[in-house]
Amino acid sequence: MSEAPGEAIDTHDVLLTAQDWRKAGREVALATVMETWGSAPRPTGSHLVIDGEGNFEGSVSGGCVEGAVVGEAIDVIESGAAKMLEFGVADETAWRVGLSCGGRIRVYVEKVA
């Protein structure tokens, strides 16, 4: 999925946050939207940075999906093993689980060394 005109991906601040948190000695994971299908709230390349206490900045989706990514990121920080996550829902259940557009997304979560 390509970006809509005027829909710039703001990854700079999130990546700086990851760098700042690492410099401060915090354990950090970075989640990145790798692919989207159909309508998705955030474009490919969007980032979410998460620390070991569950603090986060940025966005890969929103709603329940964001919460699930934060939970998986904490597991990635503890284990050191990256994960590929996929979320998708039918249009009729989209609002309930947080993908209000009914699309699907794939998110890669990795520990920041």
Side-chain angles (χ1 to χ4, degrees):
M1 180 176 173
S2 64
E3 294 175 43
E7 185 181 4
I9 300 172
D10 184 13
T11 59
H12 184 72
D13 290 342
V14 173
L15 297 178
L16 280 178
T17 298
Q19 182 180 23
D20 290 346
W21 287 1
R22 285 295 300 138
K23 284 181 180 176
R26 295 159 76 172
E27 296 290 327
V28 174
L30 182 67
T32 305
V33 176
M34 302 301 290
E35 292 183 276
T36 65
W37 294 269
S39 183
R42 298 289 295 157
T44 300
S46 296
H47 293 290
L48 178 71
V49 60
I50 307 98
D51 74 4
E53 296 180 3
N55 298 302
F56 63 94
E57 185 171 309
S59 178
V60 292
S61 176
C64 295
V65 170
E66 211 94 298
V69 172
V70 169
E72 293 290 339
I74 291 171
D75 289 344
V76 167
I77 289 169
E78 293 172 356
S79 71
K83 293 183 179 181
M84 183 68 79
L85 309 173
E86 187 169 328
F87 302 94
V89 294
D91 289 343
E92 62 271 9
T93 58
W95 281 104
R96 196 164 11 132
V97 299
L99 279 174
S100 58
C101 304
R104 291 187 303 146
I105 61 172
R106 192 152 56 159
V107 178
Y108 184 71
V109 183
E110 60 189 322
K111 185 174 181 177
V112 177

